[in-house]
Amino acid sequence: MVGSRRPGVLTALVALLTAVFVGFMIVGGPTGAFVSDVGTVIILVFASSACLVRARARRGRLRAAWAGIGLGSVTYAFGETTWTWIETVRGEAVPFPGLPDIGYLGSTPVLAAALFLVPTPRKSAANRIRGLVDVAMMACSLLLVCWILVLDPLIGASDATALSLGVSLGYPLSGVVLITVVLHMFAVLHRDSPDSGPLTLVGVAMLIVGGCDSAYAYASLSSEYTSGGLMDAGWFLGFAVVFLAARYPGKTVTAATPDVAPGQAEPRAFAMLVPYVAVLAALICCALSYAMTGDVDAFVAWGRSVLILLIVCRQVLTLLENRHLTRHLEARVLERTAELQASEQRFRAMVQRSSESVAVVDADSTIRYQSESVERIFGWPAQMLLGHRLVEIAGRKSGPRIGAAIESVIAGPELFTVIEVPMRHQDGRVRLAEMTITNLLDDPAVNGLVLNTRDVHDAKELQDRLMYEAYHDTLTGMPSRALFRERLVEAIARCDGRDEVAILFLDLDGFKEVNDSLGHAAGDALLVQVAARLRAAVREEDTVARFGGDEFGVIVESLAARADAEAVAGRIAAALEEPFEVGERELHVAVSIGLACAADADDVEQLQRNADLAMYRAKSGGGDRLAAYDPAMLAGLVERLELEADLRVALTRDELALHYQPTVDLRTGEITGFEALVRWYHPTRGMVSPLDFIGTAEATGLIVPLGRWVLTEACRQAVAWGAGTTRRLKMAVNVSVRQFEHGDLAAMVAEVLAETGMPVDQLCLEMTESVLLTDTDENLAQLHRLKDLGVTLAMDDFGTGYSSLAYLRRFPMDTLKIDRSFVDRLGGEHEDEALVSTIVRLGRSLGMTTVAEGIEDSVQLAVLKELRCDYAQGYYLSRPLPAAEAGRVLEEGLATALGEPVASPR
């Protein structure tokens, strides 16, 4: 910021000094002359110094303008200093003309040039030419006024020498030049330009100085001027204003600040009127002169002729500019009209082809506009609905709800509400519709309520089905682990004492042998019968759930929960003693049961852990028994801790390896990629199942370094398989929710990609829905960062979690992996096939590819191909293979029901 920080104080100080100076001029005498000479020199020094200092803080033309004003003030100060030296120091009469006149008159061209350098907004060529004509008109007009009022009387009344007369005439002519330049600057100076305010003050100062110069010329020629008079106050005031302008704060200027306000200069009323005001002043002076003298001299006649010619030129230029402006405006109007028409057509096309029905209704629900998309969605022609009240069309159930929703938004502009109501399709079906009602009654373009309605029936059914699947076991129909936990929390909250809740954890003895010997189908049939006997053995108020595999749980809630739980366990054991008929075989299974009471636990997790420990105690004791939790069972955790310790060093000992399961394109049969699966070769335990150590890695946070290792090795292997070929294999790697919680996953992935040279578009990161449900906002941000890298994102085990459609729309997923529990049921009930078909169609509607997991026979494969699923994985196609075997399969192709062996493209 250049200038005083307190402009009001500075203005008051300058006004006070000027008033004191004027007071001395009124007193007059020798003191007045001395004060006039010295005071004017001092104010000139201050004014020129302030201008030069301000110039240093500016740049470009603005710097040159302030430097010119400062130099002009220095030139004027030279004249005033020599005058003071002669008159005050030497005590002599100042000769006229003399050395001071050189300084006074020499300042005019410098000041005029400086004011012409003031930066102005960008102007067209026509504007620049018209500006020059305006300057000529003002100069000619002011010269005529000056001739009539000053120059002609001076010439006629003077008997001075030619030199004296010429110098005398130079002062009013200098005033004409300064006033012309100042008026031009006022006309073109943009109010948003830097220093527009201070430069306006400089212009006012130049008007004062120019007027005083003209008065001095007349007084000098008639020998009426003496130092110390009121005329000197005019010069002092003028340069005091220059000093004030140089110190006055303006717009903050930086290296990036433009000299002028951006944009094309627009003609302003002041700029248009100033030349005509000057012309009017000249004509009035000419008319008054003629009325007083009755004569018109040659100079006035020629001046008027030139002025008329300039006015004609200006009008011609204005006419040409107006014509150009008119053509430009017409072109802009046509262009804008075309844009509006195109925009309207796009909007109409989007509305008519939208998946939503758009309607505009009155406050009483009368339909004034209805998009044609309603016929595609609900079967009703749009014209048939116009003029009818929606609350009547919707029926007795939905009508009142719609009416109440309308009432709720009418209270204020732009209020909106969203409701779900059943709407009848024209074919008689009742469809669930989501309706958004927005109040745009105050919008003049709409003047109504806008209703956006879409059919969410299928999506809602799928969401309800998926929610049921998430909370219920698909094989037995029992509550799942998630629902078991929720009911356990509710039971503990309901009870007055924690000893009123107990739980049983059950694990079938020998079930693995049934699966291994008779197959999964026999195992599933056995589980269904076990579930039926469990339901019959428990009390009606008890909750029995299947956790997965051959594990079950029971919640017992009563005043004597432990005793009742033991009784329930006895009935269960007795019910399972009877043999089960599976096919033509009779199978015998026993059950290991762990019992734990809420009174022995601090929270739900600890209660479940206690039951789990008790169940493992029963299992380790030979099975077919009940074991109640005892704190000593915590010793069993030692083995798990040992497993955790071994896992910590497994990476450094090269005990981990990756197996790769192919992903196959169901349309072509080609291998399009692999899923990397980690395996642990323990030196003493042998092959450790991922089911045994992945959970430990998750719980301890070891999944983070393990996940990075898996990602790095998988990317290196993919790069190796693609070396020297044109293969574009997609490598899928699983990521855990713990990896999202620990550091910046996107940064880690980027580092691995750069380290291995893996093409970013060939990496697919798979994650379960737990990622979407945990710390949603932060995980969403991480997913977007991963998406920005260019990797593919897949939702694994789709359908086993919450599977909210809102999450699918919100999260940037590319692929849905249909869980194997859905694939297992293909080829059986039509309802199961319809569910998979719905998931495939849902993925396609969201622009996502679908991958089916766990294909184990040709029937499942055929059904998936018929349902137009995109890709498939499973043991029927290929089990996970070590890198070397996977490479051979990649070269030789798969021999499956897809056809002859087909190698992946090179």
Side-chain angles (χ1 to χ4, degrees), residues 851-884:
V851 181
E853 298 181 288
I855 298 175
E856 296 191 356
D857 56 48
S858 59
V859 175
Q860 296 170 354
L861 185 65
V863 173
L864 288 168
K865 291 177 67 176
E866 183 179 347
L867 294 179
R868 296 173 63 193
C869 182
D870 299 310
Y871 302 98
Q873 287 178 277
Y875 275 34
Y876 180 70
L877 301 172
S878 173
R879 67 178 58 247
L881 303 170

Side-chain angles (χ1 to χ4, degrees), residues 558-617:
S558 70
L559 294 177
R562 180 184 292 271
D564 288 342
E566 290 176 351
V568 169
R571 290 197 299 272
I572 290 174
L576 297 184
E577 286 181 354
E578 295 294 325
F580 294 91
E581 293 186 4
V582 177
E584 298 179 354
R585 297 175 181 271
E586 280 192 359
L587 301 177
H588 293 268
V589 296
V591 61
S592 298
I593 306 176
L595 185 153
C597 293
D600 298 327
D602 295 330
D603 52 37
V604 171
E605 281 69 27
Q606 186 177 358
L607 175 59
Q608 294 184 101
R609 186 200 65 188
N610 293 346
D612 199 36
L613 286 173
M615 187 265 291
Y616 275 107
R617 172 61 60 87

Side-chain angles (χ1 to χ4, degrees), residues 419-431:
I419 59 173
E420 288 186 355
V421 292
M423 300 291 289
R424 186 171 297 279
H425 195 279
Q426 191 184 30
D427 60 10
R429 293 177 298 151
V430 175
R431 309 290 293 174

Side-chain angles (χ1 to χ4, degrees), residues 670-733:
E670 294 180 345
I671 297 175
T672 60
F674 290 88
E675 180 178 0
L677 302 169
V678 65
R679 297 292 184 264
W680 184 8
Y681 297 96
H682 193 277
T684 58
R685 299 172 186 262
M687 175 69 77
V688 182
S689 170
L691 296 177
D692 294 332
F693 71 86
I694 291 297
T696 300
E698 288 271 5
T700 59
L702 291 174
I703 195 70
V704 175
L706 176 62
R708 179 171 184 133
W709 179 86
V710 171
L711 179 63
T712 303
E713 291 302 310
C715 289
R716 283 177 178 164
Q717 186 61 64
V719 171
W721 279 334
T725 71
T726 58
R727 292 192 186 107
R728 304 293 294 176
L729 291 174
K730 184 79 76 172
M731 181 61 72
V733 178

Side-chain angles (χ1 to χ4, degrees), residues 21-22 25 32-33 35-37 40 80 83 87 212 216 225-238:
F21 189 89
V22 171
M25 298 307 98
V35 170
S36 172
D37 293 341
T40 305
E80 186 62 27
W83 179 289
E87 183 177 61
C212 289
Y216 168 73
Y225 173 77
T226 57
S227 293
L230 284 177
M231 191 180 300
D232 293 353
W235 285 305
F236 183 90
L237 175 61

Side-chain angles (χ1 to χ4, degrees), residues 254-334:
T254 65
T257 305
D259 282 345
V260 296
Q264 180 75 30
E266 297 292 340
R268 295 182 295 162
F270 181 78
M272 300 291 290
L273 291 177
V274 164
Y276 292 108
V277 171
V279 170
L280 181 62
L283 292 178
I284 291 174
C285 285
C286 290
L288 292 176
S289 175
Y290 180 77
M292 295 173 62
T293 63
D295 186 25
V296 178
D297 60 27
F299 186 87
V300 173
W302 278 103
R304 287 189 302 186
S305 300
V306 171
L307 195 56
I308 292 171
L309 179 61
L310 290 172
I311 292 173
V312 173
C313 291
R314 191 181 195 280
Q315 291 302 110
V316 171
L317 289 172
T318 302
L319 179 61
L320 293 175
E321 186 177 8
N322 287 341
R323 290 183 60 186
H324 172 74
L325 182 60
T326 301
R327 287 196 297 269
H328 176 71
L329 289 176
E330 289 175 350
R332 287 292 298 151
V333 168
L334 292 175

Side-chain angles (χ1 to χ4, degrees), residues 158-214:
S158 175
D159 56 357
T161 63
L163 179 60
S164 298
L165 181 60
V167 173
S168 299
L169 296 179
Y171 284 99
L173 291 176
S174 296
V176 169
V177 171
L178 282 178
I179 294 172
T180 300
V181 174
V182 168
L183 291 178
H184 171 69
M185 183 188 72
F186 285 167
V188 299
L189 186 63
H190 199 285
R191 63 175 176 270
D192 293 328
S193 299
D195 288 355
S196 59
L199 288 171
T200 301
L201 286 177
V202 171
V204 172
M206 292 303 101
L207 291 178
I208 297 171
V209 171
C212 289
D213 285 347
S214 298

